[in-house]
Amino acid sequence: MNKKSGKQTIAYAAPPFLVSAAAVAGPMEEQGLLGGQYDRILEDNLAGQDSWEKTESLMLELALNTAVNKMGGALDDIDFILAGDLLNQLMSSHFAARSLGRPFLGLYGACSTMAESMLLGAVLVDGGFASMVAAAVSSHHDAAERQYRYPTELGVQRPPAAQWTVTGAGAVVLSREGNGPRVTAATVGKVVDAGLKDPNAMGPAMAPAAADTLWQHLQDTGRQPNYYDIILTGDLGQIGKTLLIQLMQEKGVDIAANYEDCGLMIYKEEQDPHAGASGCASSALVLCGHAFPLLVAGRLKRILLIGTGSLHSPTSYQQKETLPAIAHAVAIEA
Amino acid sequence: MNKKSGKQTIAYAAPPFLVSAAAVAGPMEEQGLLGGQYDRILEDNLAGQDSWEKTESLMLELALNTAVNKMGGALDDIDFILAGDLLNQLMSSHFAARSLGRPFLGLYGACSTMAESMLLGAVLVDGGFASMVAAAVSSHHDAAERQYRYPTELGVQRPPAAQWTVTGAGAVVLSREGNGPRVTAATVGKVVDAGLKDPNAMGPAMAPAAADTLWQHLQDTGRQPNYYDIILTGDLGQIGKTLLIQLMQEKGVDIAANYEDCGLMIYKEEQDPHAGASGCASSALVLCGHAFPLLVAGRLKRILLIGTGSLHSPTSYQQKETLPAIAHAVAIEA
């Protein structure tokens, strides 16, 4: 049975049910626009750990445990965990997986990893390889800051195009059996490089990748943007969002009416995140904390989540390389 | 249809054919035990690039292109590329994927990534999500050395337990149609941490993970070790290999007769790799350069490739963490 649709899209034959989701957020995130919608909140950025990296790992573990608990299940129900994060060697995911003790598959798609883990998790379930899988990601502002940029304590002034890495983690459980929202389709992205070089302006570097994947998704499925109640990109921020609308307009597709970026849904303007939020947890918090309950309640019927990732590294930047980017799209329908 | 067998194993229903494989090796590897069996050889460790990281990316691209060419195909035949490497943010894979322009999924399982990419690639093909996928990995001694340890040019003396990261890349093509060897089963590993702390002795840290996965594979499939002509671990090296034999003996399983480690098959003793070879390319070169032609020729009928990965990072080491490890097993039968 052919479940590939068009050039880059998977059409699940028995769409896996999204039976649970959990969001763990930092204190700054709880003060933001979606405050009150997260399952667990850290009291501070360390939460009793002795490094930000270990705190991030704790959040991921908490998100996975909470997602499993919310559905009244146990970790042993999960056949495979698919997870990733921004830290070198996926430190956060691997140390969480060590505690959780379930079969584990590590993924890296930078900030697109929530979508990547869901699309591959749905492949495992739809293909009959698993009854139930968990897909999860995390990011931590302070840990990302010192790995990608400067020592966090230095408090270096950020340029206006910079985005603020979200401190948080999100996990979903995908199941063969269930009811409620289902993952119905996914479009796997290509690496797209617009030739931009500024690692403090990732939105414009990722927008062309998002446009490429969204355009292909619409071609492969024969859908119009208004098929979805909302199209959500992961973390393009203000500059990237404006650019994506423009890039789609140039292809003759108007998305302005039902398009939003998760990077603009997390923080209030007075929290001064500059161009918006970023990080694996940007799309994860909006999906798990905000959209999932709306899907379950029937207040959202169809969403397209487009995870967006800038694939550069500090090393590639130092070697004067441009910023390659990727976007993966996942359709969720109630 | 349930394709999960036992606790952690996937039994492919329509086992994907391994229709092509290609190995790209560095000059030191060509001087080693498998010299003459690789498809492409670098003239030196840079191969005209201006950094080792870019050379690694070039090798990966070359391996993928060569694998596709060897089967008389074109890149456009490949629905999805699944790849990973040891560099932070998968620099090598992402820059190769940028050139190749095919839908891309990034994976990180340290040196277990060849097995991880093959098992997920086979899931995509067997599940009907793709007709043909490519799975690939790379590593580069000089790039890994400076990222994980000391500046490469410093030439720091290596302790006897240290292994030598292989400079090379391997790629396979998995297809729904074809003939010859097929990927018939795979066991997804758990993260196992034996509590060891020395990042210069990864073999003993990974051996318990390999034992865990191999034991579970035998349980899940009801097979004995002699079901396979050869069981190959990825890069346990001399110390890890001895330990794995011992750990399996303690479980009442004797693997000594038909077990080998890829890390001991790459270099000659006089090349002084210390405890053996390591890196994503260790298992990839042995599989693509050595085992694949033997499988095609019918001189090997059944092999079990167990990719082994130490999941620590320089940051986790600095934070006094132990070395978590993982192993994924892939059964290939002619």
Side-chain angles (χ1 to χ4, degrees), chain A residues 11-18 122 125-126 175-177 181-185 333:
Chain A
Y12 299 101
F17 291 95
L18 196 55
V125 173
D126 182 63
S175 172
R176 196 182 299 172
E177 314 285 336
R182 308 172 84 166
V183 176
T184 55
E333 306 188 52

Side-chain angles (χ1 to χ4, degrees), chain B residues 143-193:
Chain B
E145 206 59 26
R146 70 168 161 186
Q147 176 181 287
Y148 282 101
R149 287 168 281 265
Y150 301 97
T152 314
E153 298 89 337
L154 208 56
V156 168
Q157 193 177 8
R158 305 162 65 244
Q163 296 173 236
W164 189 273
T165 307
V166 172
T167 297
V172 300
V173 178
L174 298 168
S175 171
R176 196 183 298 171
E177 314 285 337
N179 48 50
R182 309 172 82 164
V183 176
T184 55
T187 301
V188 180
K190 295 176 181 175
V191 176
V192 173
D193 192 325

Side-chain angles (χ1 to χ4, degrees), chain A residues 291-307:
Chain A
F292 176 71
L294 295 177
L295 284 158
V296 169
R299 289 175 55 202
L300 278 177
K301 302 269 187 227
R302 293 162 171 173
I303 72 170
L304 185 70
L305 180 74
I306 307 178

Side-chain angles (χ1 to χ4, degrees), chain B residues 229 293-301 334:
Chain B
D229 296 334
L294 295 177
L295 285 159
V296 169
R299 290 176 53 202
L300 279 176
K301 301 268 188 230

Side-chain angles (χ1 to χ4, degrees), chain B:
Chain B
M1 178 172 190
N2 191 354
K3 299 174 198 163
K4 197 180 160 206
S5 169
K7 289 187 173 175
Q8 294 172 227
T9 300
I10 285 167
Y12 299 101
F17 292 95
L18 196 54
V19 290
S20 188
V24 177
M28 174 169 164
E29 288 64 29
E30 177 65 5
Q31 298 298 316
L33 293 168
L34 301 182
Q37 301 187 39
Y38 304 123
D39 297 277
R40 305 285 290 265
I41 315 297
L42 301 192
E43 70 264 36
D44 59 42
N45 273 2
L46 275 172
Q49 301 298 301
D50 57 13
S51 77
W52 296 312
E53 290 78 12
K54 291 185 187 178
T55 309
E56 183 179 334
S57 193
L58 180 73
M59 285 194 292
L60 187 61
E61 198 181 327
L62 210 51
L64 282 158
N65 273 321
T66 306
V68 167
N69 290 342
K70 276 173 80 174
M71 67 174 196
L75 266 179
D76 277 352
D77 301 334
I78 306 295
D79 292 312
F80 307 112
I81 294 173
L82 296 93
D85 60 85
L86 293 175
L87 298 178
N88 296 341
Q89 288 78 52
L90 307 187
M91 179 172 164
S92 168
S93 303
H94 288 138
F95 284 85
R98 179 180 71 176
S99 303
L100 296 166
R102 299 303 301 150
F104 176 81
L105 293 159
L107 311 175
Y108 184 80
C111 308
S112 75
T113 309
M114 188 74 227
E116 184 186 4
S117 66
M118 287 176 72
L119 87 81
L120 278 173
V123 157
L124 283 162
V125 173
D126 181 64
F129 304 98
S131 306
M132 213 179 257
V133 304
V137 300
S138 61
S139 55
H140 191 302
H141 176 266
D142 300 328
E145 206 59 26
R146 70 168 161 186
Q147 176 181 287
Y148 282 101
R149 287 168 281 265
Y150 301 97
T152 314
E153 298 89 337
L154 208 56
V156 168
Q157 193 177 8
R158 305 162 65 244
Q163 296 173 236
W164 189 273
T165 307
V166 172
T167 297
V172 300
V173 178
L174 298 168
S175 171
R176 196 183 298 171
E177 314 285 337
N179 48 50
R182 309 172 82 164
V183 176
T184 55
T187 301
V188 180
K190 295 176 181 175
V191 176
V192 173
D193 192 325
L196 301 181
K197 285 203 164 189
D198 181 358
N200 283 312
M202 291 186 288
M206 296 189 292
D212 193 73
T213 297
L214 175 53
W215 168 258
Q216 197 58 53
H217 178 80
L218 299 173
Q219 298 304 301
D220 287 349
T221 58
R223 294 174 184 167
Q224 297 297 320
N226 65 9
Y227 178 85
Y228 296 102
D229 296 334
I230 189 159
I231 295 170
L232 282 171
T233 48
D235 59 349
L236 295 187
Q238 191 55 62
I239 306 169
K241 182 190 175 189
T242 308
L243 184 55
L244 177 60
I245 293 173
Q246 206 176 306
L247 289 169
M248 293 305 290
Q249 234 154 20
E250 286 168 15
K251 292 171 192 274
V253 180
D254 184 9
I255 58 168
N258 58 336
Y259 162 53
E260 195 45 79
D261 180 61
C262 299
L264 298 171
M265 298 170 72
I266 306 255
Y267 300 117
K268 294 176 182 161
E269 222 178 301
E270 63 261 34
Q271 291 182 295
D272 195 22
H274 290 27
S278 70
C280 295
S282 176
S283 57
L285 288 197
V286 171
L287 174 70
C288 300
H290 176 68
F292 176 72
L294 295 177
L295 285 159
V296 169
R299 290 176 53 202
L300 279 176
K301 301 268 188 230
R302 294 161 170 174
I303 72 170
L304 185 69
L305 180 75
I306 308 179
T308 43
S310 179
L311 304 174
H312 72 288
S313 75
T315 305
S316 70
Y317 170 73
Q318 285 160 6
Q319 295 183 8
K320 304 191 192 305
E321 265 295 348
T322 49
L323 309 179
I326 202 162
H328 302 298
V330 177
I332 306 169
E333 306 186 53

Side-chain angles (χ1 to χ4, degrees), chain A residues 267-290:
Chain A
Y267 300 118
K268 294 175 182 161
E269 221 178 301
E270 62 262 34
Q271 291 181 294
D272 195 21
H274 290 30
S278 70
C280 295
S282 177
S283 57
L285 288 196
V286 171
L287 174 70
C288 300
H290 176 69

